[in-house]
Amino acid sequence: MFKTVTNNLAIGSIAESEALQEIAQKGYKTIIDLCPASEGNQLDASMVKEQTLEYVSVPVSPKNLTIETLEAFKKAVKVSPQPIYTRCASGLRAGIFTLLVLAEQEGWTEAQYLEQFQTLGIEQKPDSPLANFAHTYFEKNEKENLAVN
């Protein structure tokens, strides 16, 4: 799967060498891989680099689904050559983390985030750990904004 989110950000689940070559040919400079090695779906960094792409690993799993992990992803997006393709096994983690970065940059509400998420066409169970993480993220930001104002 390959979905363009913005001019500089795309998401998906691509793992094959030929598909990575297509991503490089489209002008992408960096692959951010959200699969942990223990999952068995992590890309081979040397295969990515063969396509003249930068490779960044920010493993995301239910065990490390924290603000710190999101901050590590935000930093990777900020410092990596763009455009960036973020991937995971299904595209779900890639979509959520990418949209959370955009939500912060654009000042989206949770409703705006959910609207954008719908456009990605990625299936997600309503009570999934990732859905709960995103909801908690917006709740926390809303409380912080109220405290500041």
Side-chain angles (χ1 to χ4, degrees):
M1 177 209 354
F2 180 96
K3 297 225 182 232
T4 302
V5 180
T6 69
N7 288 339
N8 286 321
L9 299 170
I11 61 143
S13 57
I14 290 172
E16 304 80 31
S17 181
E18 299 80 28
L20 292 172
Q21 187 176 22
E22 288 176 28
I23 289 171
Q25 288 170 349
K26 288 180 180 183
Y28 285 82
K29 307 269 187 253
T30 303
I31 303 276
I32 299 178
D33 192 355
L34 301 183
C35 292
S38 61
E39 191 178 282
N41 293 312
Q42 191 176 54
L43 293 176
D44 176 349
S46 61
M47 179 177 74
V48 174
K49 290 175 182 173
E50 283 174 12
Q51 305 302 329
T52 66
L53 293 161
E54 295 285 324
Y55 177 78
V56 179
S57 175
V58 181
V60 177
S61 72
K63 293 177 184 168
N64 76 343
L65 201 51
T66 63
I67 292 298
E68 291 77 21
T69 305
L70 179 59
E71 291 299 324
F73 176 71
K74 286 180 195 175
K75 183 179 180 186
V77 169
K78 186 175 182 175
V79 302
S80 297
Q82 295 190 10
I84 297 170
Y85 176 74
T86 301
R87 56 95 44 204
C88 64
S90 68
L92 179 60
R93 286 170 282 188
I96 288 175
F97 269 55
T98 298
L99 289 180
L100 288 176
V101 168
L102 291 173
E104 184 175 295
Q105 290 174 358
E106 304 294 325
W108 292 346
T109 62
E110 185 174 10
Q112 290 169 308
Y113 158 83
L114 290 169
E115 193 176 296
Q116 291 297 319
F117 183 80
Q118 290 284 307
T119 66
L120 296 178
I122 300 172
E123 290 297 315
Q124 172 180 234
K125 294 177 184 159
D127 233 4
S128 79
L130 284 161
N132 291 336
F133 175 76
H135 176 69
T136 301
Y137 172 83
F138 282 100
E139 260 185 354
K140 180 179 176 275
N141 281 354
E142 191 175 297
K143 285 178 186 171
E144 287 175 4
N145 288 341
L146 288 174
V148 170
N149 297 329

